[in-house]
Amino acid sequence: MRQVPDVHQAEPIPAAARDAIDALMQSGDLFRYTAPQDAPVALLESEFAAMIGTKYALAVSSCSAALFLTLKALGLPRDARVLIPAFTFAAVPSSVIHADCVPVLCEVGDNYRIDLDDFHAKLPGVDAVMISHMRGHTSDMDAIMASCDAAGIPVIEDAAHSLGTVWGGRNIGTIGRVGCFSFQSYKMINAGEGGILITDDADLVARAVIMSGAYEHNWKKHKGPFGQNDPELADAFARWQNRLPLYNLRMSNLSAAVIRPQLPELVRRVRDGLANHDHVAARLMTSPFIDVPAPLAPERRAPDSIQFNLVGLSTDQVQAFADAAAEMGVKVQVFGLSKDNARAFWNWQFLGDQPDLPQTRAMLMRACDVRLPVRLTRAELDVVADILLDAVASVTGSAPRAYGT
Ligand SMILES: *Cc1c(COP(=O)(O)O)cnc(C)c1O
């Protein structure tokens, strides 16, 4: 029996986190605003901003909270229309309705990226654009930014699952007006829960900081590129004092203590994740029934999972493939086939009636998703690839792969 790796088990958290947590346990200092300065959350914000290359970062309770705060901080009026891809996680349209805005769903191609024809058709009616780089697949940010800049429409990057991805030499999340990342356990940096918002816009970040729960003068503990008394930031805070609601979406010092020692691990995780992905992709592409869409030319990916399309298979065969792989120990999620899947737009019933999106629907019925945590060894990756190839061979009646070759 092949030893199938557990693809849901995370990497251990670096030991340095224990010391930081022990210190917090001793002091009881878990709230980010208790210390006058240099609380773990504040240090995380400075370190993250420096690492990714932005002026400001605001750590919050989740990426969804960061997306919601961004929409609020943009000052969008009630019922403003926000374009999002129709292939994303249900939390994304949820953040839009949470902000009293209206999501406009855009078609996604079979390479999991925004369909630019539908994007350009829908852009004239929208007030903001939120690009989900779903599963770390980057949409064409050059085309999107050119159109949005020309139309004066702000772009928010939902980079929840894209930390470490580079587009044309720039870090993903730094291309739009705001970038939002997640520290949920299935992302590149794991704190269980958590998120962070990055921007170069002092006024926008000041509004987001206050609304995240920096009541009274706690905003004084936030730093800009010129430290704790950044003049541009101080002016913006003075402008917004007492004028915004407090949604209390702060991050705890405990989460920051878990995240900070993982930042130096990112380069290695990205390198290993990409090598792992490309190894499995090359093996899967030996089957005529599997297509792994190529990255776009300016994109260097940071994957911790693999997505591929089954080509020329009926819906019954797609289901049989997923069942066969599961029987052999590898869980394949077919976004459109698993019941109540949160990434299938027709399950977002809280949005009310939506126009159909036939292209995205067709993609979701064929697109398979398999986790490939970056800690997997070459041998473990080969077990996963063998099982997927055997499963596709079994449902298509093609010759089974010979073992040991
Ligand atoms: C995980 C994820 C989210 C949600 O992040 P949370 O931190 O769990 O709120 C949003 N968008 C995408 C693309 C994601 O992968």
Side-chain angles (χ1 to χ4, degrees):
M1 186 67 196
R2 295 178 279 204
Q3 189 67 40
V4 184
D6 175 357
V7 296
H8 289 276
Q9 202 192 325
E11 241 185 45
I13 307 298
R18 291 224 183 125
D19 301 336
I21 289 170
D22 272 351
L24 289 174
M25 294 287 124
Q26 280 296 322
S27 65
D29 188 4
L30 305 183
F31 182 50
R32 69 165 297 167
Y33 292 132
T34 304
Q37 59 186 21
D38 292 339
V41 180
L43 293 174
L44 166 65
E45 289 169 342
S46 301
E47 290 161 1
F48 197 91
M51 178 185 86
I52 202 105
T54 51
K55 286 187 183 170
Y56 309 106
L58 169 64
V60 290
S61 53
S62 69
C63 181
S64 304
L67 295 171
F68 161 75
L69 280 173
T70 300
L71 293 169
K72 289 307 233 182
L74 282 167
L76 295 172
R78 182 175 288 273
D79 293 333
R81 291 160 59 84
V82 180
L83 183 143
I84 61 169
F87 174 44
T88 184
F89 185 58
V92 175
S94 304
S95 73
V96 176
I97 56 171
H98 188 191
D100 292 321
C101 298
V102 178
V104 175
L105 273 46
C106 180
E107 286 271 35
V108 168
D110 60 9
N111 66 353
Y112 322 125
R113 293 162 174 88
I114 290 268
D115 177 89
L116 287 175
D117 289 339
D118 199 44
F119 177 80
H120 286 121
K122 287 174 174 160
L123 192 65
V126 307
D127 303 289
V129 164
M130 185 180 273
I131 301 294
S132 262
H133 303 299
M134 187 55 173
R135 288 291 190 273
H137 297 284
T138 313
S139 288
D140 185 342
M141 290 307 288
D142 295 344
I144 289 167
M145 290 311 297
S147 301
C148 289
D149 284 349
I153 296 172
V155 175
I156 305 151
E157 288 183 81
D158 167 17
H161 215 149
S162 289
L163 184 57
T165 303
V166 176
W167 174 268
R170 296 167 72 186
N171 285 321
I172 276 300
T174 66
I175 298 170
R177 177 95 66 93
V178 181
C180 300
F181 296 90
S182 174
F183 301 121
Q184 186 267 343
S185 287
Y186 292 161
K187 315 296 161 113
M188 215 31 117
I189 289 182
N190 164 25
E193 303 284 358
I196 200 161
L197 171 169
I198 58 166
T199 185
D200 284 336
D201 185 329
D203 197 69
L204 190 148
V205 82
R207 289 169 55 90
V209 163
I210 292 172
M211 288 189 280
S212 77
Y215 59 94
E216 297 166 352
H217 293 166
N218 281 312
W219 49 259
K220 289 183 178 160
K221 294 168 185 169
H222 285 262
K223 287 186 182 172
F226 301 105
Q228 198 142 349
N229 294 309
D230 185 85
E232 219 187 333
L233 203 50
D235 280 355
F237 284 127
R239 252 192 318 279
W240 293 109
Q241 180 78 56
N242 296 344
R243 295 185 54 203
L244 297 167
L246 306 173
Y247 296 105
N248 282 14
L249 300 166
R250 293 173 300 250
M251 178 180 278
S252 146
N253 280 337
L254 273 177
S255 301
V258 171
I259 294 165
R260 290 180 61 217
Q262 293 183 63
L263 298 182
E265 305 292 318
L266 183 63
V267 170
R268 174 189 55 80
R269 289 182 185 175
V270 167
R271 187 191 61 216
D272 291 355
L274 184 57
N276 289 356
H277 172 278
D278 289 353
H279 176 73
V280 174
R283 293 218 41 215
L284 296 185
M285 290 286 275
T286 60
S287 165
F289 302 101
I290 297 182
D291 181 48
V292 184
L296 300 186
E299 185 184 14
R300 200 197 69 214
R301 304 194 59 231
D304 58 8
S305 62
I306 188 165
Q307 290 71 42
F308 55 90
N309 298 320
L310 293 174
V311 184
L313 270 63
S314 68
T315 299
D316 284 349
Q317 283 177 306
V318 173
Q319 185 62 61
F321 164 80
D323 293 344
E327 189 120 318
M328 291 183 267
V330 171
K331 185 170 180 287
V332 177
Q333 163 171 243
V334 181
F335 299 108
L337 286 186
S338 74
K339 188 167 158 45
D340 298 330
N341 194 295
R343 298 147 204 90
F345 62 84
W346 53 87
N347 290 326
W348 305 340
Q349 290 169 20
F350 51 86
L351 296 183
D353 283 344
Q354 291 290 318
D356 196 22
L357 296 131
Q359 192 182 324
T360 308
R361 180 183 289 272
M363 178 276 285
L364 292 167
M365 298 305 284
R366 295 281 172 278
C368 301
D369 180 40
V370 176
R371 287 178 46 73
L372 291 179
V374 302
R375 60 171 178 76
L376 295 193
T377 62
R378 214 20 93 86
E380 289 172 323
L381 295 165
D382 279 329
V383 170
V384 173
D386 286 345
I387 288 173
L388 295 172
L389 289 168
D390 286 351
V392 84
S394 75
V395 300
T396 56
S398 50
R401 212 179 32 77
Y403 283 97
T405 56

